[in-house]
Amino acid sequence: MIKINIKETQNPTILKFEFPDFITQNESFEFKNIDEAQNSPLAQKLFYLPFVKTVYISGNFIAIERFSIVEWPDVQDAVAEQIEEFVNNGGVIVQPSEQSNQKKPVSVYGETTPNPATLKFVVNTRITPAAVEFKNIDQTESSPLARELFTFAFVKEVFIDENYVTITKYDRYDWNEITLELRSFIKNYIENGGTVVDASLIKQTSPAEKQNAPQYESLDPTSQQIIEILEEYVRPAVAADGGNIVFDSYDDQEKRVKVILQGACNGCPSSTFTLKNGIENMLKDMLKNPEIKVEALNA
């Protein structure tokens, strides 16, 4: 009889349900709803629970992200029992695929960014559920890929989002000498089933929390408007250049918006121009307030 071990994660909305043995072979799955979970009878069953937002299956665990209508202490034991009953009665966790034991072909190509110290490596598949940034190897608990990348002497910082990895190098190295090595490493790592990001271990920093419910709901209307503008109009543009922008705060008295630049945007020579002549002017116009000022905390 299989016994599930419940384990908290650094993200309070995500809980891990660990098995004594591996339940997948070099594969990770993420399901946002019951329709996406066609090849996972267990995930489909879990989505009948009204508080289940996302189901992750990888290695020896199932991680579940909840909606805010419940707290994990109130329901976690019942969920664990339901998983145990399902599996012990012969239920299938994930349907085996014909290609389950084969490498999945992955293509990776490098793109230049406005930041000469940063290169964007684009992958032909989604590799992370959320944007994550790592300044050093000590911060890489949630990303085995980032941890491996920091073993290269020329890697200074790593940023991962959607379907790309942005790498910042040290100045003494030349991209012409290291690009092929990095591209090949990332391609082989993903093709061989390596975990890029473990969603259950992503730390929820306070700036990131402000863009997620329920923290978003507690913000003032102007801050909420600013977040919506940044998400809709600014983030897609900076993501195309291998970067990200995160709302930090808004001071109504000073009319000052503080943001955090990530990936290629951090340290980019043109970031100050972009902030002042692009984002700041956009906010002034869309908020109809000429006094708005934008400041990057890490520019």
Side-chain angles (χ1 to χ4, degrees), residues 61-286:
F61 69 87
I62 294 172
I64 300 176
E65 181 182 9
R66 63 169 172 80
F67 285 107
S68 56
I69 57 173
V70 299
E71 297 295 331
W72 274 123
D74 298 328
V75 297
Q76 63 188 41
D77 290 335
V79 173
E81 289 177 7
Q82 187 171 125
I83 295 174
E84 287 174 350
E85 181 181 0
F86 180 87
V87 175
N88 288 325
N89 287 332
V92 175
I93 298 175
V94 178
Q95 297 281 5
S97 63
E98 294 181 0
Q99 299 180 344
S100 61
N101 295 320
Q102 302 176 8
K103 286 185 179 180
K104 295 182 178 180
V106 171
S107 67
V108 179
Y109 66 91
E111 283 186 358
T112 57
T113 76
N115 187 344
T118 302
L119 201 65
K120 177 182 178 183
F121 293 88
V122 182
V123 186
N124 65 332
T125 185
R126 191 165 185 255
I127 56 176
T128 179
V132 282
E133 183 177 41
F134 308 100
K135 298 290 188 181
N136 55 62
I137 196 170
D138 292 335
Q139 299 176 347
T140 60
E141 181 183 3
S142 64
S143 176
L145 173 58
R147 188 181 309 122
E148 292 294 330
L149 287 171
F150 274 112
T151 63
F152 292 95
F154 42 76
V155 172
K156 182 180 180 182
E157 297 178 12
V158 177
F159 175 72
I160 305 174
D161 193 12
E162 294 289 345
N163 66 325
Y164 63 88
V165 180
T166 299
I167 295 177
T168 302
K169 67 174 179 63
Y170 286 100
D171 291 339
R172 63 179 176 270
Y173 295 95
D174 190 290
W175 281 121
N176 291 329
E177 299 171 353
I178 62 178
T179 299
L180 181 59
E181 183 178 1
L182 282 171
R183 188 187 71 81
S184 298
F185 177 81
I186 294 171
K187 172 181 169 65
N188 291 333
Y189 181 92
I190 297 174
E191 276 188 341
N192 286 311
T195 299
V196 177
V197 175
D198 183 341
S200 66
L201 295 178
I202 296 177
K203 292 183 178 180
Q204 292 296 306
T205 59
S206 56
E209 284 180 349
K210 290 175 183 177
Q211 299 188 52
N212 295 308
Q215 289 82 5
Y216 173 87
E217 299 298 331
S218 67
L219 295 175
D220 61 274
T222 303
S223 293
Q224 292 181 351
Q225 274 187 283
I226 293 169
I227 289 175
E228 290 170 2
I229 293 170
L230 293 178
E231 285 292 306
E232 184 173 355
Y233 297 99
V234 181
R235 191 174 184 274
V238 298
D241 288 332
N244 190 32
I245 185 168
V246 179
F247 172 82
D248 178 80
S249 62
Y250 170 67
D251 187 316
D252 188 51
Q253 289 187 334
E254 296 184 357
K255 309 302 179 187
R256 187 181 304 278
V257 180
K258 293 184 179 181
V259 298
I260 295 174
L261 302 178
Q262 296 178 320
C265 296
N266 184 18
C268 178
S270 62
S271 61
T272 301
F273 179 85
T274 301
L275 283 172
K276 293 299 178 183
N277 295 277
I279 299 171
E280 187 174 286
N281 287 340
M282 179 185 294
L283 291 176
K284 285 179 179 179
D285 181 59
M286 299 187 77

Side-chain angles (χ1 to χ4, degrees), residues 4-18:
I4 299 296
N5 179 40
I6 300 174
K7 187 176 180 180
E8 294 181 353
T9 73
Q10 293 173 340
N11 183 336
T13 66
I14 297 178
L15 201 64
K16 266 187 175 181
F17 298 86
E18 292 187 340

